[in-house]
Amino acid sequence: MGAFGFELLRTDGAARLGRMHTARGSVDTPAFMAVATQGSVKSLLPADLRAAGAQIVLANTYHLWLRPGAEVIRELGGLHRFMAWNGPILTDSGGFQVWSLAKLRTISEDGVEFRSHVDGSLRVLTPESCVEIQRALGVDIIHPLDECLAQPATEAATEQSLALTLRWLRRGAARWRDGGAGQALFGIVQGGVYPATRRRAVAETCALDLPGYSIGGLAVGEAKAVMLDVTELTAALLPADRPRYLMGVGKPPDLVEAVARGVDLFDCVLPTRNARNGQAFTADGPLTLTHARYARDPAPLDADCACEACRTVSRAYLRHLFGSRELTAYRLLTVHNVTFFQDLMARMRAAIAEGAFGALRTRFLARYGVESGDDSDGRAE
Amino acid sequence: MGAFGFELLRTDGAARLGRMHTARGSVDTPAFMAVATQGSVKSLLPADLRAAGAQIVLANTYHLWLRPGAEVIRELGGLHRFMAWNGPILTDSGGFQVWSLAKLRTISEDGVEFRSHVDGSLRVLTPESCVEIQRALGVDIIHPLDECLAQPATEAATEQSLALTLRWLRRGAARWRDGGAGQALFGIVQGGVYPATRRRAVAETCALDLPGYSIGGLAVGEAKAVMLDVTELTAALLPADRPRYLMGVGKPPDLVEAVARGVDLFDCVLPTRNARNGQAFTADGPLTLTHARYARDPAPLDADCACEACRTVSRAYLRHLFGSRELTAYRLLTVHNVTFFQDLMARMRAAIAEGAFGALRTRFLARYGVESGDDSDGRAE
């Protein structure tokens, strides 16, 4: 694992202030990772991410493996050099995309065979090749192949799926340990929505004594309360001295609620994807920029925000750019949304440091309001 | 005209080194204007334009008038504040777009009636309203309504069209003079491809003693040699103490050849539009990034370029972004192309200052090579 490590600096209730160390720099937690699906956070360059306060990004193993190919990226010096981001990078296992994007999946004990959504080629992903692909990418934090069970699933099906995920985990972890230092493998805790299954998932995953743990199988369409309950249950069982990553979550209130339950790390495509649909995140809740009421509005998107969009242009201008399908519309709104998410994490960290997380949580949720509608997953940029 | 003025600093053959002054800053000439058709240079923000060395941008009257509307922009503090560009802005008259984009045009002595390509609404543009619209935008350099004659055109048709353009010019100039200071009106010299007509166009346009002169009716499909011959003829007749703007030109070799013939100011959508099609401009000629040969190429687009793209990423990465339709593909290539055009203008200015323009011209054209193919106009972003 080389330089990888995690310091738990302070707790406030279940909320945790920490610092994750990697060979490519530290990450203050709780942290949110913008998603660079194909090696690029859509419309942003690394300097924009830094300006927004981002310290780590997520990239998708599945996408980069299929295009341009892990070996191409290795040959070009690894993903950091390829995408010109010199901070830490985390990759998922690719499993989620195999289940959501690929065609004609055939699952076996060995792994999963499918057809690429890019060119229709036949591909096989095994626990071992999954580790090798991420090794070729040269990223800092990697994930083992897991089965992403379609929801809703019975307890028996969930148990069976977990058993396969755990067998795959042991194979992936063995390959990872063989490969020597340099990357941290996070174990993915599956187990669906069943407490007993989750408990066993935690116990068996943590038995491998991995550098970090990821909570998987959530944010896939289950009710919000279920997501939070399972997160709370799982986080409480994980070792305090390892980072905890809740995969694919989420909306701003979800981040606050999950931090309140002890989560350290998040990723989601919402800030970037919703930006491209004209939705800005603000302290007062989402703002749909395409509404006619903003046609002559000279105000910035969010008066409290210091991002490049809010510093320089009006809602009226941004709405005009959207209506005109200008590329800068997507860029400016993405800059804002990514900054909003980073600012929210920074505010949570500051509140935990001051022992005032509870007050921030109450204040934030009251002002932000309750969102209705779209509860779709946030991992398919 | 307020602070508007032009200094001719040095000549080298017919090539001119100058400085154009406006209330919002000076522009070193020869200069190239990136095109902010709808109030945004596609994919770039003002800070990118500054970083590329741009001192002035062009915006399209027609587009901004139809959407979001000139009055909306006036209400929001003018186009500079609207688009957050605090340097000089030049607008065209809208005439070119009426002729190329609008439907059901009806031309009369009064002006031109057409249906908006945005919403189908019936619109009328007159010499007077054209000036008023640009006044509402609050830009620094404006243009009078002119007739853009379809090519090829007979000499008689060209004469007739010029006569209308000149009557419209006098009406527009009268309205402009009534409006007081603050904006510089450039007269558009039409006259097609006929030397005698061009000569009369120059004489009658310059009789109005305007702050600058624009060479119109070129880069609309005529042969390259014709474009350059008419440019040479027209530029030689224009007063030395006013800036000369060749509208809608052009490719890098065209810029060099037109500077050699005495032109000071250019605009074209090629650097931005071709970027979105995967074409990079380099000192060795255009590079089509989507070619398979670049799939593993670790080199920057152009080793001589210091732009954000060339400093940070490889051709292989850019090709991957294009293949993946990532928004950063368009942005990075636009940054590069706009920088290339600005650098070329800076090199021409330096060469003129040293009396070495002829050598630069020979060297540049020999290395760049001759382009074939696309001679389409460069004003329809």
Side-chain angles (χ1 to χ4, degrees):
Chain A
M1 292 183 296
F4 189 86
F6 179 75
E7 289 176 85
L8 180 60
L9 300 173
R10 164 138 202 190
T11 57
D12 182 2
R16 296 149 49 97
L17 181 71
R19 189 168 292 137
M20 192 168 71
H21 300 284
T22 81
R24 288 191 178 79
S26 295
V27 178
D28 296 309
T29 62
F32 181 86
M33 298 180 283
V35 178
T37 307
Q38 306 186 105
S40 168
V41 175
K42 294 190 192 308
S43 85
L44 299 191
L45 297 181
D48 302 313
L49 295 166
R50 290 287 183 194
Q55 296 175 309
I56 180 172
V57 300
L58 178 146
N60 287 120
T61 295
Y62 170 88
H63 286 282
L64 292 169
W65 173 43
L66 297 186
R67 185 174 54 194
E71 287 308 317
V72 171
I73 291 175
R74 187 211 295 271
E75 183 182 320
L76 290 161
L79 184 57
H80 295 84
R81 183 185 293 182
F82 188 60
M83 65 183 283
W85 168 259
N86 61 10
I89 303 176
L90 176 151
T91 42
D92 60 8
S93 68
F96 183 83
Q97 280 76 30
V98 169
W99 266 266
S100 60
L101 293 177
K103 298 187 200 313
L104 298 170
R105 287 183 305 278
T106 313
I107 191 166
S108 70
E109 185 64 30
D110 187 48
V112 55
E113 187 178 80
F114 61 93
R115 288 204 178 273
S116 159
H117 80 286
V118 173
D119 62 6
S121 62
L122 198 63
R123 303 285 188 135
V124 178
L125 195 59
T126 69
E128 291 80 10
S129 69
C130 179
V131 168
E132 294 295 347
I133 290 164
Q134 294 174 84
R135 186 170 288 155
L137 298 178
V139 299
D140 305 283
I141 300 172
I142 68 172
H143 280 88
L145 185 63
D146 59 338
E147 188 187 16
C148 297
L149 192 61
Q151 293 293 342
T154 64
E155 190 158 5
T158 305
E159 284 284 345
Q160 191 172 8
S161 171
L162 172 62
L164 180 65
T165 285
L166 289 169
R167 291 193 300 274
W168 282 358
L169 168 63
R170 288 177 205 115
R171 285 168 54 192
R175 179 60 62 100
W176 166 69
R177 289 191 203 277
D178 282 351
Q183 295 183 304
L185 178 75
F186 277 25
I188 302 178
V189 176
Q190 290 285 351
V193 299
Y194 301 99
T197 317
R198 280 276 164 186
R199 278 194 198 94
R200 216 190 40 262
V202 172
E204 303 219 15
T205 306
C206 293
L208 290 169
D209 189 25
L210 297 170
Y213 296 100
S214 303
I215 305 174
L218 295 177
V220 291
E222 74 284 358
K224 185 62 51 77
V226 171
M227 186 273 278
L228 291 176
D229 285 350
V230 174
T231 297
E232 182 167 358
L233 168 82
T234 309
L237 296 168
L238 288 168
D241 62 347
R242 306 291 156 92
R244 303 157 180 177
Y245 159 36
L246 179 55
M247 306 179 89
V249 171
K251 295 181 180 178
D254 303 341
L255 301 179
V256 174
E257 291 296 359
V259 166
R261 288 160 175 80
V263 173
D264 305 309
L265 202 53
F266 300 89
D267 81 287
C268 191
V269 299
L270 283 183
T272 42
R273 188 175 65 192
N274 289 19
R276 299 194 306 282
N277 295 329
Q279 189 181 69
F281 290 92
T282 82
D284 296 307
L287 181 158
T288 301
L289 198 58
T290 47
H291 284 174
R293 80 182 78 144
Y294 302 119
R296 290 163 185 258
D297 189 339
L301 278 178
D302 185 338
D304 296 335
C305 181
C307 81
E308 194 168 16
C310 291
R311 278 200 321 270
T312 60
V313 298
S314 61
R315 294 169 176 176
Y317 179 67
L318 291 165
R319 182 176 183 278
H320 164 65
L321 295 182
F322 263 92
S324 307
R325 300 178 182 276
E326 284 286 333
L327 292 170
T328 46
Y330 314 122
R331 174 174 169 188
L332 283 164
L333 216 52
T334 304
V335 164
H336 170 74
N337 282 351
V338 168
T339 301
F340 180 83
F341 273 62
Q342 294 299 330
D343 284 353
L344 175 58
M345 303 316 290
R347 287 167 60 200
M348 287 198 276
R349 291 193 298 266
I352 299 168
E354 293 163 8
F357 182 75
L360 171 71
R361 176 184 176 188
T362 304
R363 207 168 55 237
F364 177 84
L365 296 174
R367 183 168 171 194
Y368 192 86
V370 176
E371 285 183 63
S372 58
D374 178 29
D375 265 332
S376 67
D377 78 81
R379 285 180 289 190
E381 183 87 327
Chain B
M1 291 185 297
F4 189 86
F6 179 75
E7 289 177 87
L8 181 60
L9 300 173
R10 164 136 203 193
T11 57
D12 182 2
R16 296 148 51 95
L17 181 71
R19 189 168 291 137
M20 192 167 71
H21 300 284
T22 81
R24 288 191 178 80
S26 296
V27 178
D28 296 309
T29 61
F32 181 86
M33 298 179 283
V35 177
T37 308
Q38 305 185 106
S40 169
V41 174
K42 294 191 192 307
S43 86
L44 299 190
L45 296 181
D48 302 313
L49 295 167
R50 290 288 184 195
Q55 297 175 309
I56 180 171
V57 300
L58 178 146
N60 287 121
T61 296
Y62 170 89
H63 286 282
L64 292 168
W65 173 42
L66 297 186
R67 184 172 56 192
E71 287 308 317
V72 171
I73 291 175
R74 187 211 297 270
E75 183 182 320
L76 290 161
L79 184 58
H80 295 83
R81 183 186 293 182
F82 189 60
M83 66 183 282
W85 168 259
N86 61 9
I89 303 176
L90 175 151
T91 42
D92 60 8
S93 68
F96 184 83
Q97 280 76 29
V98 170
W99 265 265
S100 60
L101 293 177
K103 299 186 199 314
L104 299 170
R105 287 183 305 277
T106 313
I107 191 166
S108 70
E109 184 64 30
D110 187 47
V112 56
E113 188 178 80
F114 61 93
R115 288 204 178 273
S116 159
H117 80 286
V118 173
D119 62 6
S121 61
L122 198 62
R123 303 285 188 134
V124 177
L125 196 57
T126 68
E128 291 80 10
S129 71
C130 179
V131 167
E132 294 295 347
I133 290 163
Q134 294 174 84
R135 188 170 286 155
L137 298 177
V139 299
D140 305 283
I141 299 172
I142 69 173
H143 280 88
L145 185 64
D146 58 337
E147 188 186 15
C148 298
L149 191 61
Q151 293 293 343
T154 63
E155 189 158 4
T158 304
E159 285 284 345
Q160 191 172 10
S161 171
L162 172 62
L164 180 64
T165 285
L166 289 169
R167 290 194 299 276
W168 282 359
L169 169 63
R170 289 178 204 112
R171 285 168 54 190
R175 179 60 63 98
W176 166 70
R177 289 191 202 278
D178 282 351
Q183 296 181 304
L185 179 75
F186 278 24
I188 302 178
V189 175
Q190 290 285 350
V193 298
Y194 301 99
T197 317
R198 280 275 164 187
R199 279 194 197 93
R200 215 189 42 261
V202 172
E204 302 219 16
T205 305
C206 294
L208 290 169
D209 189 25
L210 297 170
Y213 296 100
S214 303
I215 305 174
L218 294 177
V220 291
E222 75 283 358
K224 185 63 51 76
V226 171
M227 186 273 278
L228 292 175
D229 285 350
V230 174
T231 296
E232 182 166 355
L233 168 83
T234 309
L237 296 168
L238 289 168
D241 63 348
R242 305 292 156 90
R244 303 157 180 176
Y245 159 36
L246 179 55
M247 306 179 89
V249 171
K251 296 182 180 177
D254 303 341
L255 301 179
V256 174
E257 292 295 1
V259 166
R261 288 159 174 80
V263 172
D264 305 309
L265 202 53
F266 300 90
D267 80 287
C268 191
V269 300
L270 283 184
T272 42
R273 189 175 64 192
N274 289 20
R276 299 195 305 283
N277 295 329
Q279 188 181 71
F281 290 93
T282 82
D284 297 307
L287 181 159
T288 300
L289 198 57
T290 48
H291 285 174
R293 80 182 77 143
Y294 302 120
R296 290 163 186 257
D297 189 340
L301 279 178
D302 185 339
D304 297 334
C305 180
C307 82
E308 195 168 15
C310 291
R311 277 200 322 270
T312 60
V313 297
S314 61
R315 293 169 177 177
Y317 179 67
L318 291 166
R319 182 176 182 277
H320 164 66
L321 296 182
F322 263 91
S324 306
R325 300 177 183 278
E326 284 285 335
L327 291 171
T328 47
Y330 314 123
R331 175 174 168 188
L332 283 164
L333 216 52
T334 304
V335 165
H336 170 75
N337 282 351
V338 168
T339 301
F340 181 83
F341 273 63
Q342 294 299 329
D343 284 353
L344 174 59
M345 303 316 291
R347 287 167 60 199
M348 287 199 275
R349 292 194 297 268
I352 299 169
E354 293 164 9
F357 182 76
L360 172 71
R361 176 184 176 188
T362 304
R363 207 168 54 238
F364 177 85
L365 296 174
R367 182 168 171 194
Y368 192 86
V370 177
E371 284 183 65
S372 58
D374 178 28
D375 265 332
S376 68
D377 77 82
R379 286 181 289 190
E381 181 87 326

